Amino acid sequence: MDPCEGSLYSEEGLGVAALSTLYGGMLLSSMFLPPILIKKLGCKWTIVIAMCCYVTFTLGNFYASWYTLIPTSILLGLGAAPLWSAQGTYLTTMGSTHAEKTGKLGKDVVSQYFGIFFLIYQSAGGFGNLISSLVFGQTPTQGAIPEEQLLSCGASDCLMATASTNSTNRPSQELIYTLLGIYTGSGFLAVLLIALFLEPIKDAQQESEGEKQASPFWSTLLSTAKLFRDKRLCLLVLLPLYSGFQQAFLAGDYTRSYITCALGIQFVGYVMICFAAVNALCSVLYGKLAQYTGRIALFALGAVTHLSCIIALLLWKPHPRQLPLFFVFPGLWGAADAVWQTQNNDQK
């Protein structure tokens, strides 16, 4: 979801509801859908179908309402879990194969592969945010934000407030359609490129199990539930859970209560570019450092960085005169987020 989503539909509460529905669908699908699709279709076509769910959500934004965004959010959530599972499986398999050929340690090569992947992924986020800022930057110049409004920005913002302010007025519908058209076209192009040029893979485990009869749906669901008997898995779940929470905070609360409230929606993309750029660079860096420092040191770095940012954000009173700080926090947040992205997804 675009960081502007919460700001565009904040008044009706639709943006938050769509985001919540999205993650609910993702939680549901993650329990049974990824292994079924990957086994039936393989990683490549699972990625293609899941990406089509993302394009569908973008199309739903052309006529944003409860009847379009909620169903497409559910569809996106159902496709998100198979997409990330297939991507992780693909990268792990390719990394392990390359490690065997070169005689390197498998986990080190896989970690580097994930670092490169998230470099590209976050770079795409940077370009996407740049596009949104350039499009929304065509909105007529707004006047100075009243000091009374600035007092309610940051941690003091009431997320239930519905009053429209100078900085949160929606851009024109024409600009919104322009942005959605660019995103939709990019989505269709991405699906086409993956379908035509991504090489199908099949790891050794899939080949050995290929002749086995597919397990019934309820058997797969029950097997997933039984995994939670393992205390190690229950503790491991906390990492991706926190990763989702902190990303939702930055994309939803920070962009609305800090950037949009104090600067205006046209600044959201520029500020988030800083997050994406730092995240991309750190993803590559951590992918290489992991083989020397181990994961524990990187996890500690990410935790301390995020905790420091959270405390500072609680105390900070955002003001337009403090423009550099609006970029510093996403930069630090991206440096920490790169830890969760590269190390959580490393399956070796």
Side-chain angles (χ1 to χ4, degrees):
M1 178 177 285
D2 189 275
C4 293
E5 187 85 25
S7 297
L8 284 175
Y9 309 126
S10 59
E11 294 181 14
E12 302 86 357
L14 181 55
V16 175
L19 185 61
S20 301
T21 305
L22 188 160
Y23 282 107
M26 187 175 181
L27 177 64
L28 178 63
S29 71
S30 64
M31 298 180 65
F32 65 91
L33 202 52
I36 294 177
L37 286 181
I38 293 176
K39 188 172 183 179
K40 289 286 186 180
L41 305 175
C43 289
K44 173 180 177 176
W45 293 110
T46 298
I47 292 174
V48 171
I49 292 175
M51 289 175 68
C52 290
C53 296
Y54 280 71
V55 177
T56 303
F57 177 77
T58 307
L59 291 173
N61 278 265
F62 276 95
Y63 183 73
S65 69
W66 293 91
Y67 301 104
T68 58
L69 282 189
I70 298 303
T72 54
S73 293
I74 295 174
L75 186 61
L76 173 55
L78 293 176
L83 174 64
W84 285 99
S85 297
Q87 288 173 164
T89 302
Y90 193 98
L91 289 171
T92 302
T93 302
M94 294 296 291
S96 300
T97 302
H98 182 71
E100 292 178 1
K101 292 180 179 179
T102 58
K104 296 181 180 179
L105 198 59
K107 65 177 183 179
D108 293 339
V109 177
V110 172
S111 183
Q112 291 181 24
Y113 270 42
F114 273 99
I116 296 172
F117 170 79
F118 281 102
L119 167 65
I120 300 172
Y121 172 75
Q122 294 298 343
S123 298
F127 285 114
N129 284 306
L130 177 60
I131 291 172
S132 67
S133 285
L134 291 175
V135 172
F136 288 154
Q138 300 177 52
T139 303
T141 305
Q142 299 170 333
I145 300 174
E147 291 293 333
E148 294 78 10
Q149 178 185 325
L150 293 175
L151 292 176
S152 63
C153 294
S156 302
D157 182 32
C158 178
L159 295 179
M160 298 303 294
T162 58
S164 179
T165 63
N166 189 42
S167 63
T168 58
N169 287 331
R170 284 168 56 90
S172 68
Q173 199 63 35
E174 181 181 354
L175 291 180
I176 294 177
Y177 285 153
T178 300
L179 181 63
L180 291 175
I182 295 172
Y183 284 168
T184 303
S186 300
F188 278 119
L189 178 60
V191 172
L192 183 62
L193 291 175
I194 293 294
L196 292 178
F197 298 110
L198 186 65
E199 180 183 354
I201 62 165
K202 203 168 187 178
D203 60 24
Q205 183 178 4
Q206 288 176 311
E207 290 176 355
S208 63
E209 296 179 354
E211 298 178 357
K212 294 183 180 179
Q213 186 176 1
S215 301
F217 167 77
W218 290 111
S219 176
T220 302
L221 187 61
L222 184 61
S223 299
T224 303
K226 286 181 178 180
L227 290 175
F228 287 93
R229 294 179 179 178
D230 191 333
K231 294 181 179 179
R232 296 172 300 175
L233 179 62
C234 292
L235 293 174
L236 184 63
V237 165
L238 297 176
L239 283 174
L241 186 64
Y242 170 74
S243 178
F245 282 154
Q246 57 88 17
Q247 285 186 351
F249 166 77
L250 188 74
D253 298 314
Y254 181 77
T255 57
R256 180 191 190 278
S257 300
Y258 289 83
I259 303 173
T260 304
C261 183
L263 297 178
I265 193 173
Q266 69 273 17
F267 278 90
V268 171
Y270 294 126
V271 173
M272 294 303 291
I273 288 173
C274 183
F275 165 80
V278 174
N279 201 320
L281 294 176
C282 287
S283 293
V284 176
L285 177 62
Y286 297 156
K288 295 182 178 296
L289 282 180
Q291 57 185 309
Y292 303 108
T293 63
R295 294 182 182 178
I296 296 179
L298 293 177
F299 279 133
L301 173 63
V304 170
T305 303
H306 267 169
L307 180 60
S308 301
C309 288
I310 291 171
I311 294 174
L313 287 172
L314 285 172
L315 300 176
W316 181 39
K317 300 295 183 182
H319 195 281
R321 290 195 298 264
Q322 303 166 331
L323 187 60
L325 284 179
F326 288 91
F327 293 85
V328 169
F329 282 112
L332 293 173
W333 206 271
D337 180 69
V339 174
W340 317 122
Q341 296 302 318
T342 59
Q343 302 308 307
N344 284 355
N345 286 282
D346 185 349
Q347 301 178 14
K348 280 292 182 178

